[in-house]
Amino acid sequence: MSRQPYVCGLDAAVDIMGGKWKARILWRLSQGELRFGELRKHISGISEKMLIQQLRELEAHGLVHREVYREVPPRVEYSLTEFGASLNAALEPLGEWGHTHMERIAAVRASADESPA
């Protein structure tokens, strides 16, 4: 199965950021490197399995660096790469837009949740 070429930059960005967790992981790592358990504590609602999957995808795309320290017990830390930091910077205006309109978005969501299916 071959993938179609991207038709625009937004298409490429959304492809790499697909899902609800990746932006939150990148945002959290922008504040400094974290171990897996620390990262999981800071991202409420994510399962261990999902966090592992998302971190692997982010690492495969070159957005996150995984450092394994050969200690007993082993220690693994995650941090942003320069590429990941650049994506995070691009996401900042979107986060600001969401913050500005958070109440409106929440009201629409609540209204939709109350509507009969």
Side-chain angles (χ1 to χ4, degrees):
M1 180 174 151
S2 66
R3 291 185 168 226
Q4 297 294 318
Y6 297 119
V7 295
C8 67
L10 188 57
D11 192 21
V14 169
D15 185 36
I16 203 170
M17 287 303 303
K20 91 182 217 184
W21 301 110
K22 289 179 183 171
R24 290 176 65 185
I25 293 168
L26 290 176
W27 176 80
R28 193 62 195 136
L29 288 176
S30 72
Q31 299 170 6
E33 63 184 30
L34 290 170
R35 295 174 74 171
F36 181 86
E38 296 169 324
L39 192 53
R40 184 157 180 233
K41 285 179 193 173
H42 289 295
I43 302 175
S44 61
I46 192 169
S47 70
E48 184 173 328
K49 178 181 176 184
M50 181 58 70
L51 181 56
I52 291 168
Q53 177 185 340
Q54 299 294 286
L55 284 168
R56 284 181 181 158
E57 290 177 16
L58 290 167
E59 186 181 6
H61 282 99
L63 299 167
V64 168
H65 173 72
R66 180 178 183 261
E67 183 72 33
V68 180
Y69 295 91
R70 305 287 178 208
E71 302 172 348
V72 177
R75 177 170 54 113
V76 178
E77 292 183 341
Y78 295 90
S79 60
L80 286 183
T81 63
E82 191 174 317
F83 187 46
S86 72
L87 177 57
N88 229 10
L91 291 172
E92 284 179 18
L94 182 62
E96 291 170 11
W97 180 89
H99 183 76
T100 299
H101 300 287
M102 197 179 309
E103 287 182 24
R104 180 179 181 171
I105 296 166
V108 169
R109 184 192 316 172
S111 176
D113 289 345
E114 293 173 3
S115 297

